[in-house]
């Protein structure tokens, strides 16, 4: 069964604890945390100190998505902050295999994200080492963008790739996911659905989280 990972990027940054309580009440098990450095992506969001403070407030699974250059510099910081999953970008880490090993050496799940134009085959030689693949269905950097339609085909190809090479891997999809396209994305093979503006932009965040779950069960 697919699951929802609400992205805190679209939440009210002045009331993060309150926002977390709402998605918990809606049934979420994951919290997607988008870290942006203003270099790998044009935007800046928040870093490890914010995540560490939130760790004291909730038992949600912390799904940390690092959109930063040379993420190998900061793995330990995010482990200490309480990440359960650390996902780095294939395009951002020169020695990808080494960075994956470092994440895993801390007992944390290792994910690799691919931008829309990066082929799934780029993960062929690390497929046995990773726990999660994150397919970006928008160009990373901002919430509220539109889903890129060709990513449906990429999700299907990634599903086959995972089933063939390492079926344990979680297939996560991130960007432009709304109530009206989530079912198609799950049908294409996604296990974990990131939704930011579609959840935290809703008038009733608790109800909207439940609506997402009702559509994918
Ligand atoms: C984009 C981030 C996403 C973002 C998704 O770079 O990685 O996680 O929060 O936002 P929506 O769901 O609004 O497209
Ligand atoms: Zn993300």
């Amino acid at each position: 069964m697919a699951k929802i990972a609400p992205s805190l990027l679209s939440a009210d940054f002045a009331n993060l604890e309150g926002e977390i309580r709402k998605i918990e009440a809606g049934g979420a098990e994951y919290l997607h945390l988008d870290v942006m450095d203003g270099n790998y992506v044009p935007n800046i969001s928040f870093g490890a100190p914010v995540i560490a403070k939130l760790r004291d407030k909730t038992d949600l699974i912390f799904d940390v998505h690092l959109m930063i250059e040379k993420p190998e510099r900061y793995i330990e910081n995010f482990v200490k902050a309480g990440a359960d999953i650390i996902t780095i970008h294939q395009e951002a880490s020169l020695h990808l295999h080494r960075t994956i090993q470092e994440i895993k050496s801390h007992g944390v799940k290792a994910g690799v994200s691919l931008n829309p134009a990066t082929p799934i085959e780029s993960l062929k030689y690390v497929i046995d080492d990773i726990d999660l693949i994150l397919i970006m269905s928008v160009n990373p950097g901002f919430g509220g963008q539109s889903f890129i339609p060709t990513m449906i085909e990429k999700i299907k190809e990634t599903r086959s790739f995972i089933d063939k090479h390492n079926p344990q891997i979680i297939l996560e999809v991130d960007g432009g996911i709304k109530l009206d396209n989530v079912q198609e994305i799950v049908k294409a093979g996604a296990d974990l659905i990131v939704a930011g503006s579609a959840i935290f932009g809703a008038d009733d965040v608790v109800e909207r989280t439940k609506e997402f779950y009702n559509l994918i069960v």
Side-chain angles (χ1 to χ4, degrees):
M1 195 191 93
K3 305 217 159 154
I4 304 288
S7 165
L8 204 64
L9 191 64
S10 292
D12 176 0
F13 279 16
N15 181 23
L16 291 178
E17 187 179 356
E19 296 281 67
I20 286 173
R21 295 290 166 256
K22 291 179 196 168
I23 59 161
E24 285 174 338
E29 294 160 66
Y30 287 79
L31 180 64
H32 186 82
L33 296 146
D34 288 302
V35 177
M36 303 179 178
D37 67 352
N39 190 21
Y40 180 66
V41 289
N43 201 4
I44 298 176
S45 57
F46 50 80
V50 171
I51 295 173
K53 284 290 180 189
L54 295 176
R55 184 71 288 176
D56 298 337
K57 307 285 182 190
T58 180
D59 291 327
L60 289 170
I61 299 167
F62 275 12
D63 172 31
V64 177
H65 178 193
L66 297 183
M67 285 162 275
I68 63 178
E69 270 310 326
K70 299 192 177 75
E72 51 273 16
R73 295 172 296 163
Y74 294 103
I75 299 305
E76 210 174 324
N77 292 43
F78 288 100
V79 170
K80 285 189 180 146
D84 296 295
I85 305 166
I86 296 179
T87 296
I88 55 174
H89 269 260
Q90 185 269 1
E91 307 88 353
S93 185
L94 190 56
H95 301 289
L96 184 67
H97 181 270
R98 181 186 288 155
T99 311
I100 291 165
Q101 301 307 325
E102 193 197 333
I103 296 171
K104 287 164 61 107
S105 74
H106 295 289
V108 170
K109 284 199 164 95
V112 180
S113 183
L114 301 178
N115 283 337
T118 307
I120 182 63
E121 287 73 22
S122 62
L123 298 183
K124 184 173 174 191
Y125 298 107
V126 292
I127 198 73
D128 291 335
D129 302 298
I130 58 183
D131 301 294
L132 180 147
I133 295 174
L134 172 53
I135 298 296
M136 288 306 304
S137 41
V138 297
N139 289 295
F142 302 94
Q145 302 181 81
S146 297
F147 186 90
I148 299 169
T150 50
M151 292 303 102
I152 290 291
E153 185 59 28
K154 187 172 181 184
I155 295 162
K156 288 180 184 166
E157 283 175 19
T158 305
R159 178 80 267 158
S160 308
F161 194 79
I162 287 172
D163 289 348
K164 184 166 173 208
H165 297 290
N166 185 357
Q168 310 270 49
I169 290 175
I170 297 168
L171 172 46
E172 182 174 27
V173 182
D174 183 3
I177 305 182
K178 316 276 177 205
L179 291 175
D180 64 6
N181 61 6
V182 67
Q183 286 179 312
E184 188 186 7
I185 292 159
V186 170
K187 206 170 145 222
D191 301 309
L192 189 56
I193 298 288
V194 179
S197 53
I199 288 188
F200 287 109
D203 289 336
D204 188 333
V205 172
V206 179
E207 276 312 307
R208 179 58 59 85
T209 308
K210 288 182 186 167
E211 280 180 274
F212 264 98
Y213 268 100
N214 291 337
L215 282 172
I216 62 174
V217 285

